[in-house]
mmCIF file of all heavy atoms in Angstrom:
data_model
loop_
_atom_site.group_PDB
_atom_site.id
_atom_site.type_symbol
_atom_site.label_atom_id
_atom_site.label_comp_id
_atom_site.label_asym_id
_atom_site.label_seq_id
_atom_site.Cartn_x
_atom_site.Cartn_y
_atom_site.Cartn_z
ATOM 1 N N TRP D 54 106.932 102.713 97.259
ATOM 2 C CA TRP D 54 108.316 102.925 97.702
ATOM 3 C C TRP D 54 108.391 103.327 99.163
ATOM 4 O O TRP D 54 109.459 103.353 99.748
ATOM 5 C CB TRP D 54 109.003 103.920 96.751
ATOM 6 C CG TRP D 54 108.868 103.401 95.348
ATOM 7 C CD1 TRP D 54 108.006 103.848 94.386
ATOM 8 C CD2 TRP D 54 109.529 102.258 94.788
ATOM 9 N NE1 TRP D 54 108.107 103.067 93.252
ATOM 10 C CE2 TRP D 54 109.041 102.084 93.478
ATOM 11 C CE3 TRP D 54 110.498 101.359 95.264
ATOM 12 C CZ2 TRP D 54 109.470 101.064 92.629
ATOM 13 C CZ3 TRP D 54 110.932 100.336 94.429
ATOM 14 C CH2 TRP D 54 110.424 100.201 93.126
ATOM 15 N N TYR D 59 111.956 96.556 102.014
ATOM 16 C CA TYR D 59 112.802 95.378 102.253
ATOM 17 C C TYR D 59 114.189 95.583 101.632
ATOM 18 O O TYR D 59 114.344 96.354 100.666
ATOM 19 C CB TYR D 59 112.124 94.117 101.682
ATOM 20 C CG TYR D 59 111.830 94.173 100.202
ATOM 21 C CD1 TYR D 59 112.807 93.881 99.254
ATOM 22 C CD2 TYR D 59 110.568 94.522 99.727
ATOM 23 C CE1 TYR D 59 112.544 93.946 97.894
ATOM 24 C CE2 TYR D 59 110.292 94.596 98.367
ATOM 25 C CZ TYR D 59 111.291 94.305 97.463
ATOM 26 O OH TYR D 59 111.044 94.378 96.114
ATOM 27 N N ARG D 63 114.311 97.656 94.564
ATOM 28 C CA ARG D 63 114.694 98.649 93.548
ATOM 29 C C ARG D 63 113.811 98.474 92.317
ATOM 30 O O ARG D 63 113.152 97.441 92.156
ATOM 31 C CB ARG D 63 116.169 98.572 93.185
ATOM 32 C CG ARG D 63 116.663 97.299 92.528
ATOM 33 C CD ARG D 63 118.138 97.396 92.110
ATOM 34 N NE ARG D 63 119.058 97.464 93.228
ATOM 35 C CZ ARG D 63 119.789 98.546 93.530
ATOM 36 N NH1 ARG D 63 119.708 99.633 92.779
ATOM 37 N NH2 ARG D 63 120.612 98.532 94.557
ATOM 38 N N CYS D 64 113.784 99.479 91.471
ATOM 39 C CA CYS D 64 112.965 99.348 90.263
ATOM 40 C C CYS D 64 113.691 98.459 89.256
ATOM 41 O O CYS D 64 114.911 98.295 89.319
ATOM 42 C CB CYS D 64 112.652 100.702 89.660
ATOM 43 S SG CYS D 64 114.083 101.657 89.152
ATOM 44 N N ASP D 65 112.936 97.861 88.347
ATOM 45 C CA ASP D 65 113.568 97.055 87.304
ATOM 46 C C ASP D 65 113.292 97.629 85.919
ATOM 47 O O ASP D 65 113.424 96.953 84.911
ATOM 48 C CB ASP D 65 113.176 95.569 87.413
ATOM 49 C CG ASP D 65 111.684 95.335 87.360
ATOM 50 O OD1 ASP D 65 110.937 96.304 87.115
ATOM 51 O OD2 ASP D 65 111.265 94.179 87.553
ATOM 52 N N LEU D 151 99.408 97.284 93.270
ATOM 53 C CA LEU D 151 100.145 96.322 94.107
ATOM 54 C C LEU D 151 100.308 96.954 95.484
ATOM 55 O O LEU D 151 101.416 97.324 95.888
ATOM 56 C CB LEU D 151 101.504 96.019 93.459
ATOM 57 C CG LEU D 151 101.420 95.334 92.092
ATOM 58 C CD1 LEU D 151 102.698 95.522 91.291
ATOM 59 C CD2 LEU D 151 101.131 93.848 92.247
ATOM 60 N N ASN D 155 99.206 90.255 100.226
ATOM 61 C CA ASN D 155 98.549 88.948 100.357
ATOM 62 C C ASN D 155 99.156 88.223 101.551
ATOM 63 O O ASN D 155 100.351 87.904 101.543
ATOM 64 C CB ASN D 155 98.778 88.143 99.065
ATOM 65 C CG ASN D 155 98.345 86.691 99.198
ATOM 66 O OD1 ASN D 155 97.372 86.385 99.903
ATOM 67 N ND2 ASN D 155 99.054 85.795 98.542
ATOM 68 N N PRO D 157 99.138 84.879 103.421
ATOM 69 C CA PRO D 157 98.639 83.518 103.183
ATOM 70 C C PRO D 157 98.061 82.891 104.445
ATOM 71 O O PRO D 157 98.460 83.246 105.559
ATOM 72 C CB PRO D 157 99.909 82.767 102.769
ATOM 73 C CG PRO D 157 101.024 83.525 103.370
ATOM 74 C CD PRO D 157 100.603 84.947 103.435
ATOM 75 N N GLU D 158 97.100 81.999 104.206
ATOM 76 C CA GLU D 158 96.541 81.278 105.359
ATOM 77 C C GLU D 158 97.352 80.010 105.550
ATOM 78 O O GLU D 158 97.209 79.049 104.795
ATOM 79 C CB GLU D 158 95.074 80.942 105.093
ATOM 80 C CG GLU D 158 94.208 82.164 105.280
ATOM 81 C CD GLU D 158 92.742 81.894 105.053
ATOM 82 O OE1 GLU D 158 92.323 80.720 105.132
ATOM 83 O OE2 GLU D 158 92.041 82.884 104.778
ATOM 84 N N ILE D 159 98.219 80.034 106.514
ATOM 85 C CA ILE D 159 99.058 78.865 106.793
ATOM 86 C C ILE D 159 98.792 78.467 108.235
ATOM 87 O O ILE D 159 98.818 79.329 109.133
ATOM 88 C CB ILE D 159 100.558 79.187 106.590
ATOM 89 C CG1 ILE D 159 100.802 79.623 105.140
ATOM 90 C CG2 ILE D 159 101.433 77.984 106.947
ATOM 91 C CD1 ILE D 159 102.220 80.079 104.831
ATOM 92 N N THR D 172 107.238 91.569 103.084
ATOM 93 C CA THR D 172 108.041 92.500 102.272
ATOM 94 C C THR D 172 107.275 93.797 101.978
ATOM 95 O O THR D 172 107.896 94.855 101.841
ATOM 96 C CB THR D 172 108.456 91.851 100.932
ATOM 97 O OG1 THR D 172 107.311 91.236 100.342
ATOM 98 C CG2 THR D 172 109.559 90.831 101.129
ATOM 99 N N ILE D 190 109.079 82.886 102.651
ATOM 100 C CA ILE D 190 108.087 82.139 101.862
ATOM 101 C C ILE D 190 107.770 82.958 100.616
ATOM 102 O O ILE D 190 107.411 84.131 100.714
ATOM 103 C CB ILE D 190 106.794 81.889 102.672
ATOM 104 C CG1 ILE D 190 107.114 81.084 103.938
ATOM 105 C CG2 ILE D 190 105.760 81.154 101.817
ATOM 106 C CD1 ILE D 190 105.906 80.809 104.829
ATOM 107 N N GLY D 191 107.914 82.330 99.447
ATOM 108 C CA GLY D 191 107.642 83.016 98.190
ATOM 109 C C GLY D 191 108.934 83.263 97.423
ATOM 110 O O GLY D 191 109.985 83.515 98.027
ATOM 111 N N THR D 192 108.827 83.185 96.101
ATOM 112 C CA THR D 192 109.999 83.427 95.247
ATOM 113 C C THR D 192 109.618 84.289 94.037
ATOM 114 O O THR D 192 109.984 84.005 92.902
ATOM 115 C CB THR D 192 110.631 82.094 94.775
ATOM 116 O OG1 THR D 192 109.581 81.224 94.327
ATOM 117 C CG2 THR D 192 111.428 81.418 95.856
ATOM 118 N N GLY D 193 108.839 85.351 94.297
ATOM 119 C CA GLY D 193 108.529 86.341 93.255
ATOM 120 C C GLY D 193 109.585 87.437 93.284
ATOM 121 O O GLY D 193 110.629 87.320 93.943
ATOM 122 N N SER D 194 109.297 88.547 92.594
ATOM 123 C CA SER D 194 110.277 89.644 92.472
ATOM 124 C C SER D 194 110.768 90.139 93.827
ATOM 125 O O SER D 194 111.968 90.395 93.999
ATOM 126 C CB SER D 194 109.656 90.835 91.735
ATOM 127 O OG SER D 194 109.275 90.479 90.445
ATOM 128 N N SER D 195 109.850 90.295 94.792
ATOM 129 C CA SER D 195 110.250 90.863 96.092
ATOM 130 C C SER D 195 111.251 89.948 96.775
ATOM 131 O O SER D 195 112.278 90.389 97.312
ATOM 132 C CB SER D 195 109.032 91.050 97.005
ATOM 133 O OG SER D 195 108.105 91.913 96.407
ATOM 134 N N SER D 196 110.969 88.662 96.763
ATOM 135 C CA SER D 196 111.843 87.695 97.405
ATOM 136 C C SER D 196 113.191 87.617 96.683
ATOM 137 O O SER D 196 114.254 87.567 97.308
ATOM 138 C CB SER D 196 111.158 86.326 97.389
ATOM 139 O OG SER D 196 111.951 85.386 98.012
ATOM 140 N N GLN D 198 114.694 89.847 95.137
ATOM 141 C CA GLN D 198 115.550 90.992 95.486
ATOM 142 C C GLN D 198 116.049 90.899 96.923
ATOM 143 O O GLN D 198 117.165 91.325 97.221
ATOM 144 C CB GLN D 198 114.759 92.299 95.305
ATOM 145 C CG GLN D 198 114.492 92.650 93.848
ATOM 146 C CD GLN D 198 113.841 94.014 93.688
ATOM 147 O OE1 GLN D 198 113.059 94.448 94.525
ATOM 148 N NE2 GLN D 198 114.148 94.691 92.590
ATOM 149 N N PHE D 213 111.447 78.969 101.010
ATOM 150 C CA PHE D 213 110.313 78.078 100.742
ATOM 151 C C PHE D 213 109.696 78.463 99.404
ATOM 152 O O PHE D 213 109.047 79.493 99.282
ATOM 153 C CB PHE D 213 109.283 78.166 101.883
ATOM 154 C CG PHE D 213 109.785 77.524 103.148
ATOM 155 C CD1 PHE D 213 110.626 78.213 104.012
ATOM 156 C CD2 PHE D 213 109.439 76.207 103.464
ATOM 157 C CE1 PHE D 213 111.109 77.623 105.165
ATOM 158 C CE2 PHE D 213 109.917 75.604 104.612
ATOM 159 C CZ PHE D 213 110.752 76.304 105.467
ATOM 160 N N ARG D 215 107.223 77.700 96.205
ATOM 161 C CA ARG D 215 106.111 76.924 95.643
ATOM 162 C C ARG D 215 106.276 76.827 94.123
ATOM 163 O O ARG D 215 106.203 75.752 93.554
ATOM 164 C CB ARG D 215 104.777 77.596 96.003
ATOM 165 C CG ARG D 215 103.583 76.738 95.690
ATOM 166 C CD ARG D 215 102.351 77.194 96.409
ATOM 167 N NE ARG D 215 101.901 78.517 95.948
ATOM 168 C CZ ARG D 215 100.864 79.152 96.480
ATOM 169 N NH1 ARG D 215 100.187 78.601 97.480
ATOM 170 N NH2 ARG D 215 100.505 80.327 96.027
ATOM 171 N N THR D 216 106.542 77.971 93.483
ATOM 172 C CA THR D 216 106.777 77.954 92.024
ATOM 173 C C THR D 216 108.051 78.744 91.745
ATOM 174 O O THR D 216 108.173 79.884 92.193
ATOM 175 C CB THR D 216 105.602 78.637 91.277
ATOM 176 O OG1 THR D 216 104.370 78.209 91.848
ATOM 177 C CG2 THR D 216 105.621 78.308 89.804
ATOM 178 N N ASN D 218 110.750 81.013 89.581
ATOM 179 C CA ASN D 218 110.529 82.133 88.659
ATOM 180 C C ASN D 218 111.709 82.318 87.720
ATOM 181 O O ASN D 218 112.844 82.035 88.087
ATOM 182 C CB ASN D 218 110.358 83.431 89.458
ATOM 183 C CG ASN D 218 108.907 83.851 89.508
ATOM 184 O OD1 ASN D 218 108.322 84.170 88.477
ATOM 185 N ND2 ASN D 218 108.339 83.833 90.676
ATOM 186 N N LYS D 333 104.344 84.356 84.370
ATOM 187 C CA LYS D 333 104.340 85.076 85.643
ATOM 188 C C LYS D 333 105.261 86.262 85.424
ATOM 189 O O LYS D 333 106.203 86.167 84.627
ATOM 190 C CB LYS D 333 104.937 84.208 86.756
ATOM 191 C CG LYS D 333 103.986 83.182 87.341
ATOM 192 C CD LYS D 333 104.693 82.441 88.460
ATOM 193 C CE LYS D 333 103.912 81.261 88.951
ATOM 194 N NZ LYS D 333 102.740 81.605 89.760
ATOM 195 N N ARG D 334 105.036 87.364 86.137
ATOM 196 C CA ARG D 334 105.833 88.575 85.927
ATOM 197 C C ARG D 334 107.331 88.216 86.003
ATOM 198 O O ARG D 334 107.794 87.631 86.971
ATOM 199 C CB ARG D 334 105.416 89.577 86.988
ATOM 200 C CG ARG D 334 106.087 90.951 87.181
ATOM 201 C CD ARG D 334 106.641 91.655 85.996
ATOM 202 N NE ARG D 334 106.855 93.072 86.302
ATOM 203 C CZ ARG D 334 107.992 93.575 86.764
ATOM 204 N NH1 ARG D 334 109.029 92.790 87.017
ATOM 205 N NH2 ARG D 334 108.088 94.872 86.968
ATOM 206 N N VAL D 337 113.868 90.526 87.799
ATOM 207 C CA VAL D 337 115.208 91.037 87.489
ATOM 208 C C VAL D 337 115.978 91.035 88.802
ATOM 209 O O VAL D 337 115.456 91.485 89.818
ATOM 210 C CB VAL D 337 115.116 92.467 86.894
ATOM 211 C CG1 VAL D 337 116.503 93.047 86.683
ATOM 212 C CG2 VAL D 337 114.358 92.437 85.569
ATOM 213 N N LEU D 355 108.270 73.348 97.845
ATOM 214 C CA LEU D 355 106.948 73.095 98.445
ATOM 215 C C LEU D 355 106.057 72.222 97.571
ATOM 216 O O LEU D 355 105.036 71.729 98.040
ATOM 217 C CB LEU D 355 106.256 74.418 98.766
ATOM 218 C CG LEU D 355 106.951 75.279 99.819
ATOM 219 C CD1 LEU D 355 106.162 76.559 100.059
ATOM 220 C CD2 LEU D 355 107.120 74.524 101.135
ATOM 221 N N ILE D 360 104.126 73.250 103.117
ATOM 222 C CA ILE D 360 104.250 73.624 104.530
ATOM 223 C C ILE D 360 103.090 72.978 105.284
ATOM 224 O O ILE D 360 101.921 73.118 104.912
ATOM 225 C CB ILE D 360 104.194 75.166 104.704
ATOM 226 C CG1 ILE D 360 105.400 75.812 104.033
ATOM 227 C CG2 ILE D 360 104.117 75.547 106.183
ATOM 228 C CD1 ILE D 360 105.362 77.332 103.982
ATOM 229 N N ALA D 382 106.960 86.788 101.623
ATOM 230 C CA ALA D 382 107.179 87.527 100.366
ATOM 231 C C ALA D 382 106.118 86.999 99.408
ATOM 232 O O ALA D 382 106.401 86.517 98.322
ATOM 233 C CB ALA D 382 108.589 87.271 99.841
ATOM 234 N N THR D 383 104.876 87.088 99.874
ATOM 235 C CA THR D 383 103.775 86.366 99.236
ATOM 236 C C THR D 383 102.894 87.252 98.362
ATOM 237 O O THR D 383 101.794 86.843 97.979
ATOM 238 C CB THR D 383 102.933 85.655 100.315
ATOM 239 O OG1 THR D 383 102.718 86.563 101.408
ATOM 240 C CG2 THR D 383 103.646 84.436 100.841
ATOM 241 N N GLY D 384 103.376 88.444 98.032
ATOM 242 C CA GLY D 384 102.727 89.239 97.002
ATOM 243 C C GLY D 384 101.501 90.017 97.447
ATOM 244 O O GLY D 384 101.365 90.381 98.624
ATOM 245 N N PHE D 385 100.592 90.221 96.498
ATOM 246 C CA PHE D 385 99.499 91.191 96.669
ATOM 247 C C PHE D 385 98.172 90.660 96.126
ATOM 248 O O PHE D 385 98.154 89.811 95.244
ATOM 249 C CB PHE D 385 99.834 92.468 95.879
ATOM 250 C CG PHE D 385 101.109 93.127 96.311
ATOM 251 C CD1 PHE D 385 102.334 92.745 95.748
ATOM 252 C CD2 PHE D 385 101.109 94.100 97.290
ATOM 253 C CE1 PHE D 385 103.523 93.343 96.151
ATOM 254 C CE2 PHE D 385 102.294 94.700 97.699
ATOM 255 C CZ PHE D 385 103.503 94.328 97.130
ATOM 256 N N VAL D 438 100.172 97.136 84.994
ATOM 257 C CA VAL D 438 101.256 96.263 85.479
ATOM 258 C C VAL D 438 102.008 95.555 84.356
ATOM 259 O O VAL D 438 103.056 94.965 84.596
ATOM 260 C CB VAL D 438 100.715 95.215 86.469
ATOM 261 C CG1 VAL D 438 100.243 95.882 87.740
ATOM 262 C CG2 VAL D 438 99.597 94.396 85.838
ATOM 263 N N TRP D 497 99.296 86.341 89.278
ATOM 264 C CA TRP D 497 98.438 87.392 89.848
ATOM 265 C C TRP D 497 97.818 88.254 88.759
ATOM 266 O O TRP D 497 96.880 89.001 89.026
ATOM 267 C CB TRP D 497 99.174 88.203 90.914
ATOM 268 C CG TRP D 497 100.441 88.902 90.513
ATOM 269 C CD1 TRP D 497 101.717 88.520 90.805
ATOM 270 C CD2 TRP D 497 100.566 90.135 89.788
ATOM 271 N NE1 TRP D 497 102.624 89.416 90.299
ATOM 272 C CE2 TRP D 497 101.948 90.427 89.672
ATOM 273 C CE3 TRP D 497 99.648 91.021 89.226
ATOM 274 C CZ2 TRP D 497 102.428 91.562 89.014
ATOM 275 C CZ3 TRP D 497 100.132 92.147 88.566
ATOM 276 C CH2 TRP D 497 101.502 92.409 88.469
ATOM 277 N N ASN D 502 96.461 83.978 92.351
ATOM 278 C CA ASN D 502 97.200 83.906 93.622
ATOM 279 C C ASN D 502 96.293 84.108 94.839
ATOM 280 O O ASN D 502 96.735 83.920 95.967
ATOM 281 C CB ASN D 502 98.339 84.939 93.656
ATOM 282 C CG ASN D 502 97.827 86.368 93.638
ATOM 283 O OD1 ASN D 502 96.784 86.651 93.061
ATOM 284 N ND2 ASN D 502 98.545 87.266 94.278
HETATM 285 P P1 LIG P 14 104.503 87.619 93.705
HETATM 286 O O1 LIG P 14 105.209 87.821 92.444
HETATM 287 O O2 LIG P 14 103.038 87.415 93.672
HETATM 288 O O3 LIG P 14 105.216 86.433 94.461
HETATM 289 C C1 LIG P 14 104.655 85.863 95.592
HETATM 290 C C2 LIG P 14 105.342 84.560 95.881
HETATM 291 O O4 LIG P 14 104.770 84.002 97.059
HETATM 292 C C3 LIG P 14 105.166 83.521 94.783
HETATM 293 O O5 LIG P 14 106.350 82.805 94.647
HETATM 294 C C4 LIG P 14 104.038 82.643 95.325
HETATM 295 O O6 LIG P 14 104.043 81.338 94.822
HETATM 296 C C5 LIG P 14 104.374 82.656 96.790
HETATM 297 N N1 LIG P 14 103.255 82.334 97.653
HETATM 298 C C6 LIG P 14 102.097 83.008 97.810
HETATM 299 N N2 LIG P 14 101.305 82.402 98.710
HETATM 300 C C7 LIG P 14 101.980 81.313 99.137
HETATM 301 C C8 LIG P 14 101.696 80.281 100.053
HETATM 302 N N3 LIG P 14 100.532 80.231 100.711
HETATM 303 N N4 LIG P 14 102.616 79.317 100.254
HETATM 304 C C9 LIG P 14 103.793 79.353 99.579
HETATM 305 N N5 LIG P 14 104.126 80.291 98.689
HETATM 306 C C10 LIG P 14 103.224 81.272 98.463
HETATM 307 O O7 LIG P 14 104.741 88.884 94.714
HETATM 308 P P2 LIG P 14 105.968 89.874 94.795
HETATM 309 O O8 LIG P 14 107.237 89.128 94.734
HETATM 310 O O9 LIG P 14 105.735 90.762 95.948
HETATM 311 O O10 LIG P 14 105.852 90.712 93.458
HETATM 312 C C11 LIG P 14 104.617 91.245 93.033
HETATM 313 C C12 LIG P 14 104.848 92.206 91.891
HETATM 314 O O11 LIG P 14 105.352 93.465 92.370
HETATM 315 C C13 LIG P 14 105.891 91.759 90.895
HETATM 316 O O12 LIG P 14 105.428 90.775 90.033
HETATM 317 C C14 LIG P 14 106.238 93.071 90.223
HETATM 318 O O13 LIG P 14 105.251 93.486 89.348
HETATM 319 C C15 LIG P 14 106.251 94.008 91.422
HETATM 320 N N6 LIG P 14 107.616 94.019 91.998
HETATM 321 C C16 LIG P 14 108.631 94.499 91.223
HETATM 322 C C17 LIG P 14 109.911 94.491 91.710
HETATM 323 C C18 LIG P 14 111.036 94.995 90.889
HETATM 324 O O14 LIG P 14 111.924 94.245 90.569
HETATM 325 N N7 LIG P 14 111.055 96.236 90.570
HETATM 326 C C19 LIG P 14 110.178 94.003 92.977
HETATM 327 C C20 LIG P 14 109.116 93.529 93.735
HETATM 328 C C21 LIG P 14 107.832 93.537 93.231
HETATM 329 P P3 LIG P 14 103.162 80.931 93.526
HETATM 330 O O15 LIG P 14 103.867 81.548 92.364
HETATM 331 O O16 LIG P 14 103.145 79.468 93.529
HETATM 332 O O17 LIG P 14 101.800 81.541 93.737
#
Side-chain angles (χ1 to χ4, degrees):
W54 305 103
Y59 59 82
R63 64 175 68 248
C64 61
D65 57 6
L151 296 159
N155 170 34
E158 283 181 21
I159 300 175
T172 47
I190 300 179
T192 46
S194 299
S195 300
S196 181
Q198 289 186 327
F213 289 82
R215 191 162 66 183
T216 317
N218 256 295
K333 280 182 189 286
R334 176 32 163 92
V337 175
L355 296 180
I360 295 172
T383 44
F385 300 88
V438 293
W497 58 256
N502 65 329

